[in-house]
Amino acid sequence: MQYGYFDDNAREYVITRPDTPYPWINYLGCENFYGLFSNTSGGYCFYRDARMLRLTRYRYNNVPADAGGRYFYLRDGSVCGGDVWTPSWMPMKSALDRYECRHGMGYSRISSARNGLAFSQISFVPLHDTCEIHKVTLTNESNVDKRIDMFSFIEFCLWNANDDMTNFQRNFSIGEVEIDGSRIYHKTEYRERRNHYAVWAVNVPIDGFDTDRQTFLGLYNGFDHPQVVFDGESKNSVASGWAPIGSHRIKAKLAPGESKTFVFVLGYCENHEDQKWEKQGVINKKPANNLLAKYGTPDAADEALAALNEYWKTLLGRFTVDAEDKKMARMAGIWNQYQCMVTFNMSRSASYFESGIGRGMGFRDSNQDLLGFVHLVPERARARILDIAATQFPDGSAYHQYQPLTKRGNNEVGSGFNDDPLWLICGVAAYIKETGDYGILDEKVPFDNNEALADTLFVHLKRSFDYTVTHTGPHGLPLIGRADWNDCLNLNCFSKTPGESFQTTANFESGIAESVLIAAIFVFTGPEYAEICRRTGRNDEAQYAEKAVASMTEAVNNHGWDGGWFLRAYDAHGKKIGSKECEDGKIFIESNGFAVMAGIGVNDGRAQKALDSVKEHLDTKYGIVLLQPAYKDYHIELGEVSSYPPGYKENAGIFCHNNPWVTIGETVLGHGNRAFETYTKICPAYREDDSDLRRMEPYVYAQMVAGKDAVNHGEAKNSWLTGTAAWTFVSISQYILGVRPVFDGLLLDPCIPSSMKNYTVTRRFRGADYHITVDNSAGVEKGIKSITVDGNPHDGTVLPAFGDNKVHNVIVTMGK
Ligand code: BGC
Ligand code: NOJ
């Protein structure tokens, strides 16, 4: 069943009933201030860091689900006894005569109605400011006068989200607020080391307020039964300790047909250390005044929203798709890129599965995410690369994670994930291919965040490359360390203790366990490194790199092939993993997809065999599972991978991130039909009408879909923050639709289903616009017969970087 539909012209997903199979969320914000926003107005917001500077509370894993948000309670006095309801459905689960939630690019709009009273709320974070705006309109659609009481409600988080959930002996005594007219200030800890506060304001005079949770709700009530609202009277409570909240009461009289609009702003403000106070105990409200002055009227809010819309229009205008297959077109042209921007902003920190207090930015994750957004915000990709590279160690290894607020490597997690260094090469190569900016290689970048150890970015790449070259095992394959891309293949962490981290308990530096996947990543990225060297006049280094790639390919040929597919690894005892000899885990997806992507075995039929085996053993209706057979038991020598019940996560779940590697592999072999099939299987838009099983948003990828061994095969989890976004975008835009940035320009190399007869792609690339029309009336899967550019025949398949700010019309005719 479907719970909504795509409105492609508006770039919105329209949810038509509130009881979606899971809260379906959106992200507000694109710079420093962010909000998570569900289709029933649940969620929370934070300034830059979801752990350190969280403005509002959210209760993860709560019953009922999705507890905490920006709520508006309405009390309709024209209905006998006073009808109390929540127009976003939650938290009261009010029966609604009408409901709709439109999630758009950086904003969400909820509209509903009950008993002739219509409500609309549009929520967004304006560009360049640190606040959420909620513009609320009430309309009397009945033919009688209405007396409405509206109560706003948010619950403040005491900034550090982790302490907020755990350190109650302190927290219950520190909450502080100030109230000034319609403005409620949250200033917990401002008296001491913080120089920031939050403000929850509305642009009209109010008829009461509350700031103490217990007073507002009643100690034994939930969000669904706030005492104050049912009493119809604010208590003007001033929080002191316990749980500070913000609630305004607004009385509105509405004649039939009349509308009233209110602008609520939830903002984050900072003061300089020496300007914190207006007078003893009274915060300096200047920054709040400035912020609120900007958004004091509905028109001002509308203008800010229009600017936000323009921002997204321009951004997504850099890559657009038109095709008969609307599902593909809307995913590739809109939602997939949108999700890539969200992973750029959030990494893996805050979703409805990532609580925002756990992980920082991943070294490998951020480098891979970059593949999906570099064409949208190349300047920000550049800055990101330099931040990431600064957390690399002088020997080329890297902190596995770093903190976005401090940009420093995370000591608790440390290093030792031996695929990490190579992803830096992959990210930098993508950046240079997109921009042609070799200058980035000369940037001085610290090692280990230490300026004294700074060297050029090129040296960072060399250390990355050399790290793999110098850390090989008995078969000449790369040592795996704590894990490679598969965080759960922990071949040197023998953990027996419940609760211990599988990744950081590296207690067995075998010097033996090797990864065929890292070898394949090396063979994929090594030539890019060599190419960068050659193009910057480093010919000796290029030769050295090419040799190293050749010998790694040899190692894979000699020790990484299992007869029907590529092996996955060797464990610390030198035993094969991902081999027909194994009882479970005979075949894995990652090494097979990546090896073929890297071109290994393409000339001798092994690549074809490997992908045939993947299809035979790993493919399902909902995508390709990570391995088969699933591990039935815990294997201390394999680690976390065998800790999951069969069919979930890395233990034979459909771990979507690596499905596009197979898609790309299929295009390397020229299989357009098969490539597209693997693409569509995990693509959420194709499962829109299957939402009861899939459960996650039909407009974003999920990290995992339960595999065939799981009870709930086909059910998705961990939506939004996944490397799937970047890699699927690469697979569809660069390898299927075949518009691929290369060092010399834009390569055209479509590999599509034979049934796809034509499509167009527009692409902004190095300062020019390419309007590319592909004609496949020949019905082939791959192969270009001719190309014209601006009406003239074009030799070869690489379009030059015109860089002239003009539109160039390109016609590609496929055929033999
Ligand atoms: C998950 C992995 C994740 C790792 C590190 C594991 O529990 O299964 O997907 O990469 O934790 O956060
Ligand atoms: C999620 C992690 O963020 C990513 O780094 C890892 O590659 C995958 N899980 C697979 O384990």
Side-chain angles (χ1 to χ4, degrees):
M1 166 170 151
Q2 288 192 203
Y3 288 75
Y5 60 92
F6 288 90
D7 180 345
D8 293 334
N9 287 335
R11 296 196 179 95
E12 291 173 340
Y13 190 81
V14 188
I15 300 165
T16 49
R17 47 184 291 174
D19 56 341
T20 45
Y22 205 73
W24 285 359
I25 72 165
N26 193 11
Y27 283 82
L28 316 179
C30 20
E31 289 149 340
N32 286 316
F33 192 94
Y34 299 104
L36 282 69
F37 191 90
S38 78
N39 59 310
T40 60
S41 207
Y44 60 96
C45 57
F46 57 92
Y47 174 70
R48 287 183 60 194
D49 186 315
R51 172 176 175 158
M52 309 299 290
L53 292 170
R54 195 178 294 204
L55 272 80
T56 53
R57 242 178 218 166
Y58 184 77
R59 289 173 173 72
Y60 276 93
N61 194 18
N62 197 60
V63 280
D66 203 19
R70 312 75 172 164
Y71 296 141
F72 296 95
Y73 296 89
L74 298 174
R75 190 168 199 278
D76 186 344
S78 67
V79 178
C80 182
D83 180 35
V84 176
W85 59 291
T86 40
S88 54
W89 191 60
M90 285 297 272
M92 291 182 67
K93 282 170 68 176
S94 308
L96 302 172
D97 299 335
R98 208 164 70 217
Y99 162 89
E100 181 184 272
C101 170
R102 289 180 171 258
H103 284 319
M105 306 287 107
Y107 67 88
S108 292
R109 185 193 303 269
I110 294 178
S111 322
S112 63
R114 167 155 150 153
N115 289 327
L117 176 62
F119 168 92
S120 110
Q121 166 188 359
I122 171 126
S123 301
F124 63 100
V125 172
L127 293 172
H128 318 313
D129 273 319
T130 57
C131 65
E132 278 184 359
I133 294 179
H134 304 273
K135 192 186 92 170
V136 169
T137 302
L138 300 177
T139 306
N140 184 355
E141 293 181 340
S142 78
N143 46 24
V144 295
D145 285 345
K146 280 194 180 283
R147 282 177 293 109
I148 310 296
D149 277 298
M150 176 162 68
F151 297 83
S152 74
F153 174 82
I154 56 155
E155 184 179 10
F156 292 110
C157 178
L158 308 186
W159 302 112
N160 181 319
N162 200 33
D163 281 7
D164 186 66
M165 285 191 297
T166 46
N167 195 4
F168 303 112
Q169 61 79 23
R170 171 177 164 84
N171 292 349
F172 287 167
S173 293
I174 61 175
E176 287 190 295
V177 294
E178 258 178 64
I179 300 106
D180 182 11
S182 307
R183 298 173 180 185
I184 296 169
Y185 294 91
H186 174 229
K187 59 170 186 180
T188 299
E189 290 190 343
Y190 189 78
R191 63 169 57 248
E192 29 121 351
R193 291 154 299 176
R194 293 191 184 274
N195 66 339
H196 46 258
Y197 57 80
V199 58
W200 175 226
V202 59
N203 69 328
V204 296
I206 54 172
D207 303 284
F209 62 86
D210 276 289
T211 63
D212 176 59
R213 188 182 71 199
Q214 183 175 327
T215 310
F216 182 76
L217 291 178
L219 183 58
Y220 294 104
N221 290 351
F223 295 134
D224 60 341
H225 197 94
Q227 202 53 53
V228 154
V229 181
F230 280 85
D231 293 349
E233 217 42 85
S234 290
K235 305 282 191 314
N236 296 347
S237 57
V238 179
S240 175
W242 298 110
I245 59 144
S247 171
H248 309 97
R249 176 192 184 199
I250 296 172
K251 289 203 225 176
K253 267 202 197 132
L254 293 170
E258 190 182 356
S259 282
K260 282 200 171 134
T261 297
F262 311 93
V263 184
F264 290 86
V265 176
L266 175 56
Y268 167 91
C269 302
E270 276 178 6
N271 274 320
H272 287 297
E273 203 50 44
D274 52 358
Q275 290 165 6
K276 279 174 65 169
W277 305 101
E278 210 169 282
K279 55 181 188 221
Q280 172 83 42
V282 178
I283 58 179
N284 174 358
K285 305 196 175 60
K286 253 196 212 131
N289 293 340
N290 291 342
L291 177 72
L292 297 173
K294 287 173 85 169
Y295 304 113
T297 64
D299 283 349
D302 289 344
E303 262 172 48
L305 181 62
L308 182 69
N309 287 339
E310 203 44 45
Y311 165 85
W312 278 105
K313 200 173 139 204
T314 309
L315 210 58
L316 297 181
R318 297 179 75 101
F319 180 90
T320 70
V321 186
D322 196 13
E324 219 169 276
D325 185 335
K326 294 296 167 218
K327 294 177 183 166
M328 181 276 286
R330 67 170 63 109
M331 285 306 300
I334 304 171
W335 292 97
N336 196 172
Q337 296 185 80
Y338 183 59
Q339 187 176 0
C340 287
M341 284 305 290
V342 171
T343 57
F344 164 59
N345 288 323
M346 297 291 125
S347 186
R348 304 295 174 270
S349 73
S351 73
Y352 268 26
F353 295 87
E354 303 280 6
S355 62
I357 57 173
R359 291 200 272 168
M361 315 269 292
F363 191 93
R364 79 158 81 89
D365 291 334
S366 299
N367 275 303
Q368 289 173 85
D369 288 349
L370 199 128
L371 307 177
F373 66 77
V374 61
H375 69 295
L376 295 172
V377 285
E379 335 64 48
R380 294 173 81 184
R382 189 181 208 271
R384 175 63 56 83
I385 286 172
L386 301 178
D387 286 348
I388 302 170
T391 66
Q392 188 175 29
F393 288 108
D395 73 349
S397 66
Y399 278 109
H400 192 50
Q401 290 177 10
Y402 72 99
Q403 295 312 119
L405 204 59
T406 59
K407 297 186 178 171
R408 299 189 78 83
N410 179 332
N411 273 316
E412 277 163 46
V413 185
S415 162
F417 297 76
N418 283 354
D419 62 318
D420 273 335
L422 293 176
W423 295 114
L424 182 65
I425 300 180
C426 189
V428 172
Y431 170 78
I432 295 178
K433 287 190 267 185
E434 181 65 37
T435 59
D437 170 20
Y438 290 90
I440 193 173
L441 298 169
D442 303 325
E443 291 284 349
K444 278 265 165 54
V445 186
F447 280 100
D448 195 5
N449 300 112
N450 182 347
E451 284 294 345
L453 301 175
D455 212 325
T456 63
L457 183 65
F458 178 79
V459 171
H460 282 259
L461 297 191
K462 171 149 180 61
R463 302 267 173 92
S464 286
F465 189 84
D466 287 348
Y467 185 85
T468 308
V469 174
T470 55
H471 290 73
T472 53
H475 302 93
L477 296 164
L479 292 173
I480 195 167
R482 291 178 180 184
D484 60 22
W485 171 88
N486 188 335
D487 266 328
C488 299
L489 203 55
N490 314 118
L491 307 183
N492 292 304
C493 312
F494 285 28
S495 175
K496 273 196 207 154
T497 311
E500 199 169 66
S501 155
F502 290 100
Q503 278 87 33
T504 55
T505 314
N507 47 12
F508 192 72
E509 215 15 275
S510 66
I512 288 181
E514 296 166 292
S515 162
V516 177
L517 174 63
I518 301 182
I521 300 175
F522 186 79
V523 176
F524 182 78
T525 53
E528 302 196 311
Y529 174 67
E531 194 63 38
I532 289 173
C533 294
R534 223 176 268 298
R535 282 161 187 272
T536 51
R538 298 168 168 105
N539 288 324
D540 292 350
E541 181 67 11
Q543 268 179 19
Y544 149 79
E546 278 156 358
K547 263 204 197 138
V549 170
S551 57
M552 189 65 82
T553 310
E554 256 327 277
V556 176
N557 288 339
N558 295 335
H559 305 289
W561 180 249
D562 196 50
W565 53 81
F566 291 98
L567 285 176
R568 179 61 177 83
Y570 287 91
D571 73 12
H573 308 295
K575 257 183 70 188
K576 292 175 186 168
I577 298 175
S579 159
K580 56 183 180 300
E581 294 166 17
C582 306
E583 189 190 329
D584 290 326
K586 288 179 194 290
I587 171 169
F588 281 63
I589 186 175
E590 308 102 297
S591 47
N592 286 292
F594 230 104
V596 180
M597 259 171 76
I600 305 176
V602 168
N603 295 332
D604 58 21
R606 281 176 307 147
Q608 171 84 53
K609 226 178 183 178
L611 293 193
D612 286 347
S613 300
V614 165
K615 194 161 177 55
E616 184 187 339
H617 299 288
L618 303 180
D619 198 21
T620 77
K621 190 175 163 197
Y622 304 115
I624 304 164
V625 299
L626 195 144
L627 61 86
Q628 276 295 295
Y631 292 108
K632 295 186 283 290
D633 308 305
Y634 178 57
H635 293 260
I636 193 167
E637 76 286 6
L638 300 179
E640 187 171 2
V641 68
S642 60
S643 75
Y644 285 112
Y648 291 109
K649 298 280 282 185
E650 282 86 343
N651 189 15
I654 298 158
F655 210 96
C656 301
H657 186 140
N658 48 39
N659 275 234
W661 298 347
V662 173
T663 308
I664 297 171
E666 294 287 6
T667 68
V668 169
L669 301 180
H671 301 157
N673 291 328
R674 268 169 65 163
F676 199 68
E677 188 190 318
T678 59
Y679 168 77
T680 54
K681 278 187 177 174
I682 61 157
C683 184
Y686 292 85
R687 289 196 59 201
E688 193 185 7
D689 57 4
D690 187 21
S691 288
D692 287 313
L693 174 58
R694 189 184 135 87
R695 297 187 66 199
M696 293 302 116
E697 298 91 336
Y699 44 92
V700 285
Y701 287 91
Q703 182 202 61
M704 187 211 50
V705 175
K708 58 186 173 186
D709 305 285
V711 178
N712 299 316
H713 181 35
E715 181 188 60
K717 275 188 201 140
N718 300 27
S719 56
W720 284 100
L721 304 187
T722 161
T724 313
W727 276 108
T728 48
F729 184 68
V730 170
S731 74
I732 186 69
S733 64
Q734 300 190 17
Y735 289 88
I736 294 179
L737 301 176
V739 181
R740 182 152 79 245
V742 291
F743 291 104
D744 285 326
L746 208 48
L747 171 72
L748 299 174
D749 185 22
C751 185
I752 55 176
S754 42
S755 59
M756 194 185 279
K757 290 294 178 311
N758 55 65
Y759 62 91
T760 59
V761 166
T762 70
R763 179 72 157 82
R764 176 106 189 134
F765 177 72
R766 299 194 206 167
D769 288 295
Y770 298 73
H771 284 199
I772 302 161
T773 305
V774 178
D775 170 3
N776 185 31
S777 35
V780 298
E781 292 177 69
K782 194 167 174 137
I784 292 178
K785 211 160 116 191
S786 65
I787 296 177
T788 65
V789 179
D790 298 325
N792 306 314
H794 179 82
D795 281 344
T797 51
V798 178
L799 305 175
F802 292 109
D804 54 5
N805 239 325
K806 290 195 179 130
V807 176
H808 297 276
N809 288 303
V810 181
I811 296 175
V812 179
T813 309
M814 293 181 69
K816 302 248 182 257

PDB file of all heavy atoms in Angstrom, residues 793-807:
ATOM      1  N   PRO A 793      29.656  17.024 -35.659  1.00  0.00           N
ATOM      2  CA  PRO A 793      30.119  15.692 -35.249  1.00  0.00           C
ATOM      3  C   PRO A 793      31.285  15.806 -34.264  1.00  0.00           C
ATOM      4  O   PRO A 793      32.120  16.708 -34.393  1.00  0.00           O
ATOM      5  CB  PRO A 793      30.596  15.048 -36.557  1.00  0.00           C
ATOM      6  CG  PRO A 793      30.121  15.917 -37.656  1.00  0.00           C
ATOM      7  CD  PRO A 793      29.757  17.248 -37.108  1.00  0.00           C
ATOM      8  N   HIS A 794      31.282  14.915 -33.292  1.00  0.00           N
ATOM      9  CA  HIS A 794      32.336  14.963 -32.275  1.00  0.00           C
ATOM     10  C   HIS A 794      33.093  13.641 -32.266  1.00  0.00           C
ATOM     11  O   HIS A 794      32.489  12.578 -32.211  1.00  0.00           O
ATOM     12  CB  HIS A 794      31.697  15.216 -30.899  1.00  0.00           C
ATOM     13  CG  HIS A 794      32.691  15.270 -29.784  1.00  0.00           C
ATOM     14  ND1 HIS A 794      33.423  16.389 -29.492  1.00  0.00           N
ATOM     15  CD2 HIS A 794      33.080  14.322 -28.890  1.00  0.00           C
ATOM     16  CE1 HIS A 794      34.219  16.143 -28.460  1.00  0.00           C
ATOM     17  NE2 HIS A 794      34.027  14.891 -28.080  1.00  0.00           N
ATOM     18  N   ASP A 795      34.414  13.718 -32.329  1.00  0.00           N
ATOM     19  CA  ASP A 795      35.233  12.493 -32.305  1.00  0.00           C
ATOM     20  C   ASP A 795      35.440  12.033 -30.874  1.00  0.00           C
ATOM     21  O   ASP A 795      35.707  12.840 -29.995  1.00  0.00           O
ATOM     22  CB  ASP A 795      36.619  12.769 -32.921  1.00  0.00           C
ATOM     23  CG  ASP A 795      36.526  12.766 -34.438  1.00  0.00           C
ATOM     24  OD1 ASP A 795      35.505  12.260 -34.954  1.00  0.00           O
ATOM     25  OD2 ASP A 795      37.463  13.287 -35.071  1.00  0.00           O
ATOM     26  N   GLY A 796      35.398  10.754 -30.682  1.00  0.00           N
ATOM     27  CA  GLY A 796      35.651  10.212 -29.343  1.00  0.00           C
ATOM     28  C   GLY A 796      34.448  10.405 -28.450  1.00  0.00           C
ATOM     29  O   GLY A 796      33.403  10.925 -28.868  1.00  0.00           O
ATOM     30  N   THR A 797      34.585   9.967 -27.207  1.00  0.00           N
ATOM     31  CA  THR A 797      33.438  10.002 -26.299  1.00  0.00           C
ATOM     32  C   THR A 797      33.637  10.945 -25.125  1.00  0.00           C
ATOM     33  O   THR A 797      32.815  10.999 -24.225  1.00  0.00           O
ATOM     34  CB  THR A 797      33.149   8.585 -25.758  1.00  0.00           C
ATOM     35  OG1 THR A 797      34.355   8.049 -25.235  1.00  0.00           O
ATOM     36  CG2 THR A 797      32.613   7.677 -26.840  1.00  0.00           C
ATOM     37  N   VAL A 798      34.749  11.685 -25.123  1.00  0.00           N
ATOM     38  CA  VAL A 798      34.968  12.629 -24.023  1.00  0.00           C
ATOM     39  C   VAL A 798      34.662  14.043 -24.501  1.00  0.00           C
ATOM     40  O   VAL A 798      35.241  14.516 -25.487  1.00  0.00           O
ATOM     41  CB  VAL A 798      36.425  12.545 -23.492  1.00  0.00           C
ATOM     42  CG1 VAL A 798      36.642  13.583 -22.388  1.00  0.00           C
ATOM     43  CG2 VAL A 798      36.736  11.149 -22.979  1.00  0.00           C
ATOM     44  N   LEU A 799      33.749  14.687 -23.801  1.00  0.00           N
ATOM     45  CA  LEU A 799      33.458  16.087 -24.130  1.00  0.00           C
ATOM     46  C   LEU A 799      34.459  16.968 -23.397  1.00  0.00           C
ATOM     47  O   LEU A 799      34.737  16.741 -22.222  1.00  0.00           O
ATOM     48  CB  LEU A 799      32.048  16.460 -23.671  1.00  0.00           C
ATOM     49  CG  LEU A 799      30.901  15.593 -24.168  1.00  0.00           C
ATOM     50  CD1 LEU A 799      29.590  16.035 -23.523  1.00  0.00           C
ATOM     51  CD2 LEU A 799      30.803  15.670 -25.695  1.00  0.00           C
ATOM     52  N   PRO A 800      35.001  17.965 -24.081  1.00  0.00           N
ATOM     53  CA  PRO A 800      35.974  18.831 -23.402  1.00  0.00           C
ATOM     54  C   PRO A 800      35.293  19.701 -22.341  1.00  0.00           C
ATOM     55  O   PRO A 800      34.071  19.860 -22.344  1.00  0.00           O
ATOM     56  CB  PRO A 800      36.513  19.702 -24.527  1.00  0.00           C
ATOM     57  CG  PRO A 800      35.457  19.692 -25.570  1.00  0.00           C
ATOM     58  CD  PRO A 800      34.747  18.375 -25.460  1.00  0.00           C
ATOM     59  N   ALA A 801      36.081  20.236 -21.430  1.00  0.00           N
ATOM     60  CA  ALA A 801      35.568  21.199 -20.459  1.00  0.00           C
ATOM     61  C   ALA A 801      35.512  22.545 -21.170  1.00  0.00           C
ATOM     62  O   ALA A 801      36.536  23.199 -21.340  1.00  0.00           O
ATOM     63  CB  ALA A 801      36.490  21.266 -19.250  1.00  0.00           C
ATOM     64  N   PHE A 802      34.332  22.950 -21.618  1.00  0.00           N
ATOM     65  CA  PHE A 802      34.223  24.193 -22.387  1.00  0.00           C
ATOM     66  C   PHE A 802      34.507  25.414 -21.521  1.00  0.00           C
ATOM     67  O   PHE A 802      35.112  26.375 -21.957  1.00  0.00           O
ATOM     68  CB  PHE A 802      32.840  24.307 -23.025  1.00  0.00           C
ATOM     69  CG  PHE A 802      32.597  23.300 -24.101  1.00  0.00           C
ATOM     70  CD1 PHE A 802      31.714  22.250 -23.923  1.00  0.00           C
ATOM     71  CD2 PHE A 802      33.278  23.403 -25.315  1.00  0.00           C
ATOM     72  CE1 PHE A 802      31.493  21.325 -24.929  1.00  0.00           C
ATOM     73  CE2 PHE A 802      33.059  22.477 -26.337  1.00  0.00           C
ATOM     74  CZ  PHE A 802      32.164  21.433 -26.139  1.00  0.00           C
ATOM     75  N   GLY A 803      34.027  25.381 -20.308  1.00  0.00           N
ATOM     76  CA  GLY A 803      34.321  26.457 -19.364  1.00  0.00           C
ATOM     77  C   GLY A 803      33.904  27.835 -19.835  1.00  0.00           C
ATOM     78  O   GLY A 803      34.474  28.847 -19.422  1.00  0.00           O
ATOM     79  N   ASP A 804      32.895  27.922 -20.722  1.00  0.00           N
ATOM     80  CA  ASP A 804      32.537  29.210 -21.307  1.00  0.00           C
ATOM     81  C   ASP A 804      31.177  29.707 -20.826  1.00  0.00           C
ATOM     82  O   ASP A 804      30.612  30.616 -21.417  1.00  0.00           O
ATOM     83  CB  ASP A 804      32.523  29.086 -22.838  1.00  0.00           C
ATOM     84  CG  ASP A 804      31.614  27.943 -23.295  1.00  0.00           C
ATOM     85  OD1 ASP A 804      30.940  27.337 -22.421  1.00  0.00           O
ATOM     86  OD2 ASP A 804      31.586  27.649 -24.504  1.00  0.00           O
ATOM     87  N   ASN A 805      30.672  29.069 -19.789  1.00  0.00           N
ATOM     88  CA  ASN A 805      29.394  29.486 -19.236  1.00  0.00           C
ATOM     89  C   ASN A 805      28.235  29.414 -20.221  1.00  0.00           C
ATOM     90  O   ASN A 805      27.237  30.120 -20.056  1.00  0.00           O
ATOM     91  CB  ASN A 805      29.501  30.912 -18.689  1.00  0.00           C
ATOM     92  CG  ASN A 805      29.167  30.899 -17.219  1.00  0.00           C
ATOM     93  OD1 ASN A 805      28.289  30.120 -16.780  1.00  0.00           O
ATOM     94  ND2 ASN A 805      29.855  31.720 -16.447  1.00  0.00           N
ATOM     95  N   LYS A 806      28.397  28.604 -21.251  1.00  0.00           N
ATOM     96  CA  LYS A 806      27.329  28.495 -22.255  1.00  0.00           C
ATOM     97  C   LYS A 806      26.665  27.126 -22.173  1.00  0.00           C
ATOM     98  O   LYS A 806      27.206  26.201 -21.575  1.00  0.00           O
ATOM     99  CB  LYS A 806      27.922  28.678 -23.652  1.00  0.00           C
ATOM    100  CG  LYS A 806      28.374  30.102 -23.919  1.00  0.00           C
ATOM    101  CD  LYS A 806      28.606  30.316 -25.406  1.00  0.00           C
ATOM    102  CE  LYS A 806      29.028  31.751 -25.653  1.00  0.00           C
ATOM    103  NZ  LYS A 806      30.236  31.842 -26.484  1.00  0.00           N
ATOM    104  N   VAL A 807      25.529  27.038 -22.835  1.00  0.00           N
ATOM    105  CA  VAL A 807      24.846  25.755 -22.929  1.00  0.00           C
ATOM    106  C   VAL A 807      25.318  25.046 -24.190  1.00  0.00           C
ATOM    107  O   VAL A 807      25.366  25.651 -25.264  1.00  0.00           O
ATOM    108  CB  VAL A 807      23.318  25.964 -23.002  1.00  0.00           C
ATOM    109  CG1 VAL A 807      22.607  24.631 -23.199  1.00  0.00           C
ATOM    110  CG2 VAL A 807      22.820  26.665 -21.745  1.00  0.00           C
TER     111      VAL A 807
END
